[in-house]
DNA sequence: TTTCATTTGTCCGTATGTATT
DNA sequence: AAATACATACGGACAAATGAA
């Protein structure tokens, strides 16, 4: 899964969808960390702000939760 | 307190006034942080640019002060 | 205990595009 | 034309929390 910077859908929404799928498919398992912001930046070639926004959406949905200094985890 | 996008007064001035009141009322206490830019954006449904302008005004008045990397605080 | 790397939190400056007034 | 405002996106810096060395 990659990102299309030319697509009408914002990049952070595209990445958010990818994260949702990675959780749904079990690629990212409950109680396990999702990729860090730095990793997301590298994996998808995006800025940190974009990576953070991409995580906010699944977080608002209760799919993941964030702990400062540790990371973001899939809700168990 | 909410924002009226139809009002003649610019939104950033409205939010600035709200912040002044939250300080005056003690809702935002001395030496305590005010909401972050992101939080203001969410709380009032405004853009970052607008949130930052809204903070400038109370800052210029000496009501709050900003520390990069930490946040903006009510003057003690 | 101190130090260090990692990660998230926040702020700063800038830029492009759109829309409204 | 200019100011206001939104949305998106980039890059950088400093701060705070965590955990490991």
């Amino acid at each position: 899964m990659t990102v299309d910077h030319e697509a009408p859908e914002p990049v952070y929404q595209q990445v958010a969808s990818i994260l949702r799928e990675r959780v749904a498919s079990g690629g990212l398992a409950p109680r396990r960390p999702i990729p860090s912001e730095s990793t997301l930046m590298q994996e998808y070639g995006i800025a940190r702000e974009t990576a953070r926004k991409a995580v906010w959406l699944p977080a608002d949905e209760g799919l993941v939760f964030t702990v400062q200094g540790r990371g973001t985890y899939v809700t168990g």
Side-chain angles (χ1 to χ4, degrees), chain A:
Chain A
M1 268 301 179
T2 64
V3 163
D4 179 3
H5 285 260
E6 315 308 319
E9 189 183 21
V11 174
Y12 73 91
Q13 286 183 18
Q14 293 180 47
V15 176
S17 294
I18 292 172
L19 290 176
R20 289 193 199 95
E21 283 197 31
R22 289 175 69 172
V23 170
S25 72
L28 298 175
R31 311 291 294 169
R32 297 292 306 162
I34 74 170
S36 70
E37 290 170 0
S38 314
T39 303
L40 289 176
M41 290 167 66
Q42 290 183 348
E43 280 186 347
Y44 300 107
I46 58 180
R48 190 182 168 200
E49 179 189 343
T50 308
R52 287 172 61 80
K53 279 190 181 177
V55 172
W56 290 351
L57 300 182
D60 282 346
E61 296 155 10
L63 211 63
V64 301
F65 64 96
T66 297
V67 183
Q68 181 176 2
R70 279 229 308 272
T72 300
Y73 298 81
V74 179
T75 303

